[in-house]
Amino acid sequence: MTKEDNRRKFLDVFPSLVNQLTHALRQYGIPNDAIDWYEKSLLYNTPGGKLNRGLSVVDTYVILKGFSSPSELPDEEYHKIALLGWCVELLQAYFLVADDMMDKSITRRGQPCWYRLDEVGDMAINDAFMLEAAIYCLLKANFRNESYYVNLLEVLHDVTFQTEVGQLLDLMTAPETMVDLSKFSLERHSYIVIFKTAYYSFYLPVALAMYGAGVNDERDFLQAKEVLLPLGEYFQIQDDYLDCFGSPEEIGKIGTDIQDNKCSWVINAALKLCSPEQRKILDQNYGRKDDECEKKCKQVFYDLKLDKVYEKYEVQVAQKLREKIEQIDESRGFKREVLYAFLDKVYKRKK
């Protein structure tokens, strides 16, 4: 199965998910205009991204069950594990709709942010809540009789809370309206990205697949977490690095972290290495909506050779992660291959 075939097979499950959710509203006797609105929100906000998180649930399950491709799964089995993948994508949609409002973002996935549609506005707040609630409607309808149903509920609730804590730390540390680099540090950045990104983007898809595949020993979840959280941190540091040093043609966007006052790895690494004179330049120019200010910050980053610092970090972190993966105990059903698959996708990516 090609990557595109895998994605298409996963997307084919989405209409049945929408039907289940709209059917639930009809069971409540909800008027058709509200049902149409909910369907529009689901279609606009959920399936338009890369789908990496949802596909990771399926890919992890395939590895744990000993198959070589999702195409080998019986249709009913594939549909069920794909639903868990879509639960992660619904969680992502919930976060993004809310995050775009908090950040006053303009576009998302090549289209206007949901809240910016004329007919939506602040109604997007409730739409975000309904995207999250969809997860639990689907779990109840499809997994209530499974022995691991409560485990699914708990891990999703836990990771949602952890992600929201990460968002709180991010909003407190780097509001766009007030630049204060004294709040920044590599330690603070690590907390933010582990809680805001690593738990839901890396640990959650694997945890859901593990429960679905019957790998449920707490020691295996701990093994997975010890690799996936630092891997998720590395992934976000890559994003931060590419935002500043990557080619817009390669990464598909123009970096905005400097002007948006983001608490990124790049600024935190610079603050740790810079001279008093360079620190003054950063204090005066970082987080300003001005192209010249951005250029001055970038010049400091280039003078500090942060590209070389990053390249050294990337090699070191990959080596440490490989060492951890090699120490994984596979005796209870978990497999190193799951973690190598994640690392191989991330290592030295350019977009």
Side-chain angles (χ1 to χ4, degrees):
M1 246 182 129
T2 67
K3 187 176 181 180
E4 190 51 44
D5 289 337
N6 196 5
R7 177 186 167 86
R8 192 160 39 244
K9 185 176 177 67
F10 185 66
L11 277 167
D12 286 344
V13 175
F14 188 69
S16 69
L17 171 158
V18 175
N19 288 338
Q20 284 188 51
L21 293 169
T22 54
H23 177 73
L25 294 188
R26 289 190 180 90
Q27 294 293 100
Y28 295 145
I30 300 298
N32 285 335
D33 57 344
I35 294 173
D36 291 344
W37 181 280
Y38 190 36
E39 183 171 357
K40 181 181 177 182
S41 171
L42 287 165
L43 293 170
Y44 194 92
N45 293 302
T46 312
K50 298 174 184 175
L51 306 179
N52 287 337
R53 295 166 182 82
L55 287 166
S56 292
V57 179
V58 176
D59 292 343
T60 299
Y61 180 86
V62 165
I63 292 171
L64 292 174
K65 296 292 282 186
F67 294 102
S68 59
S69 166
S71 62
E72 295 179 10
L73 295 175
D75 288 345
E76 185 176 341
E77 188 175 358
Y78 178 86
H79 189 273
K80 201 155 188 175
I81 199 64
L83 277 177
L84 288 182
W86 279 112
C87 285
V88 183
E89 292 297 329
L90 283 164
L91 187 64
Q92 162 87 335
Y94 157 57
F95 290 148
L96 295 184
V97 170
D99 193 59
D100 286 342
M101 294 190 76
M102 285 182 265
D103 290 349
K104 299 180 176 58
S105 299
I106 305 300
T107 60
R108 169 71 65 182
R109 296 169 174 171
Q111 60 186 3
C113 296
W114 176 245
Y115 82 96
R116 285 181 53 80
L117 299 186
D118 290 339
E119 68 273 25
V120 179
D122 288 347
M123 285 180 67
I125 298 170
N126 192 64
D127 294 330
F129 295 156
M130 291 187 71
L131 289 167
E132 184 199 19
I135 297 166
Y136 301 100
C137 290
L138 292 171
L139 290 181
K140 183 177 180 181
N142 296 278
F143 294 90
R144 192 178 187 185
N145 295 325
E146 301 290 350
S147 60
Y148 52 88
Y149 175 57
V150 173
N151 299 112
L152 298 178
L153 296 176
E154 286 186 347
V155 73
L156 277 156
H157 281 306
D158 287 348
V159 169
T160 300
F161 184 59
Q162 287 157 340
T163 307
E164 290 162 351
V165 169
Q167 175 73 343
L168 171 63
L169 288 169
D170 195 13
L171 292 170
M172 290 176 63
T173 304
E176 280 197 52
T177 54
M178 186 179 68
V179 181
D180 182 1
L181 298 186
S182 68
K183 291 184 177 181
F184 287 20
S185 69
L186 285 170
E187 292 75 20
R188 185 81 164 188
H189 177 265
S190 181
Y191 269 112
I192 291 170
V193 302
I194 286 174
F195 279 86
K196 186 176 176 178
T197 300
Y199 271 107
Y200 94 95
S201 297
F202 285 81
Y203 175 67
L204 178 61
V206 172
L208 293 176
M210 288 170 69
Y211 285 125
V215 180
N216 53 23
D217 193 294
E218 282 302 314
R219 290 170 291 182
D220 285 327
F221 287 94
L222 183 59
Q223 287 191 114
K225 191 179 293 185
E226 286 178 345
V227 172
L228 292 167
L229 294 187
L231 182 57
E233 181 179 15
Y234 163 43
F235 174 85
Q236 185 58 54
I237 288 173
Q238 275 182 325
D239 254 17
D240 294 350
Y241 172 80
L242 291 171
D243 185 272
C244 182
F245 291 93
S247 161
E249 291 75 23
E250 279 192 315
I251 64 176
K253 64 178 182 178
I254 297 172
T256 60
D257 284 359
I258 295 172
Q259 292 196 24
D260 290 346
N261 190 37
K262 293 295 185 183
C263 181
S264 81
W265 176 85
V266 177
I267 181 64
N268 282 295
L271 292 172
K272 189 169 183 178
L273 298 171
C274 66
S275 68
E277 292 78 12
Q278 290 170 321
R279 172 61 187 257
K280 187 175 180 180
I281 293 171
L282 295 174
D283 281 328
Q284 292 174 344
N285 293 280
Y286 195 79
R288 270 67 178 181
K289 303 289 188 183
D290 183 284
D291 291 345
E292 287 303 313
C293 291
E294 182 180 50
K295 286 178 184 176
K296 290 176 183 177
C297 292
K298 280 195 172 183
Q299 190 58 56
V300 172
F301 300 157
Y302 286 118
D303 291 344
L304 291 170
K305 295 182 171 58
L306 291 187
D307 54 336
K308 301 302 180 187
V309 175
Y310 170 78
E311 288 169 10
K312 183 178 179 182
Y313 158 79
E314 185 169 45
V315 171
Q316 289 177 339
V317 74
Q319 180 59 34
K320 287 179 182 177
L321 288 169
R322 288 192 180 97
E323 289 171 0
K324 282 187 176 183
I325 295 171
E326 278 304 306
Q327 295 169 8
I328 293 291
D329 178 1
E330 295 184 314
S331 64
R332 294 176 298 272
F334 191 62
K335 296 182 180 180
R336 297 184 193 97
E337 187 183 345
V338 169
L339 303 174
Y340 276 125
F342 272 84
L343 179 57
D344 290 343
K345 288 177 188 175
V346 171
Y347 185 53
K348 293 203 170 181
R349 68 187 176 97
K350 299 299 180 185
K351 61 181 179 177

